[in-house]
Amino acid sequence: MKWKAFRAAFPHTLPIFAGFWFLGLAYGIYMHVAGFSFVYPMLMSLLIFGGSLEFVAVEMLLSPFAPVQVFIMTLLIQARHLFYGISMLDKYKGMGWKKGYLIFGMCDETFSINYTAEIPDGVDKGWFFFFVTLLNHFYWFSGATIGGLVGLSLIHISEPTRL
């Protein structure tokens, strides 16, 4: 049953793969150029999984400590997910343990697939939603991690020359 859901979900996520890998690579390289180890984009893409927020987080991490401003900025950037979540309440009803991950992994692309996809007969919708979410998350995570490693190996940052 799980394998059937995976095979049904995978083709829906291929266009997302292309976009997430390109942006993830750029994000990982950007983090490296900003002076962060590849571990930062790897962990941030795994735990935050919010592309827009992750790009802005680079500057937040480099700025003076300002927790209230960071909270407000984070809320403003990610607020659209509240509306996605409301739209998905019925679809995610009765998903058991998968529901938590489905909520965490809700990004624009995952929402659009899970909301509009016509799930084939005989495919469990919970596993279909789960694999769409998992694949999209994996695409972003792997792109950001590889970008951080590529930045590490290809882009060498030297200390500025002081007069």
Side-chain angles (χ1 to χ4, degrees):
M1 178 176 338
K2 293 177 194 173
W3 181 244
K4 193 174 185 180
F6 178 84
R7 285 194 323 246
F10 180 69
H12 290 276
T13 66
L14 283 176
I16 309 308
F17 168 70
F20 274 16
W21 249 46
F22 176 77
L23 288 171
L25 287 167
Y27 167 66
I29 292 169
Y30 176 51
M31 285 289 286
H32 174 72
V33 169
F36 294 97
S37 160
F38 80 93
V39 175
Y40 279 82
M42 181 179 74
L43 291 177
M44 288 173 65
S45 64
L46 187 64
L47 301 173
I48 297 174
F49 189 42
S52 305
L53 180 59
E54 289 178 55
F55 275 97
V56 173
V58 176
E59 293 303 317
M60 290 180 191
L61 289 169
L62 294 172
S63 299
F65 184 67
V68 173
Q69 289 85 344
V70 168
F71 174 77
I72 291 169
M73 181 66 78
T74 301
L75 186 63
L76 291 173
I77 292 171
Q78 299 299 99
R80 68 187 184 281
H81 293 271
L82 295 171
F83 300 103
Y84 295 165
I86 291 169
S87 301
M88 297 302 283
L89 285 175
D90 286 337
K91 287 189 179 266
Y92 288 172
K93 193 176 287 185
M95 294 291 153
W97 64 269
K98 293 185 278 300
K99 188 175 184 177
Y101 182 67
L102 294 174
I103 292 167
F104 163 76
M106 178 89 65
C107 63
D108 304 352
E109 297 78 8
T110 301
F111 167 77
S112 65
I113 294 171
N114 284 346
Y115 192 79
T116 62
E118 293 183 23
I119 302 169
D121 292 333
V123 172
D124 180 86
K125 74 176 187 169
W127 283 109
F128 178 88
F129 294 156
F130 176 80
F131 284 124
V132 166
T133 305
L134 183 68
L135 286 165
N136 287 345
H137 192 186
F138 176 74
Y139 300 153
W140 179 253
F141 165 76
S142 61
T145 302
I146 291 169
L149 291 168
V150 165
L152 182 66
S153 62
L154 295 180
I155 300 171
H156 303 286
I157 302 170
S158 60
E159 286 293 317
T161 308
R162 300 187 196 259
L163 299 175

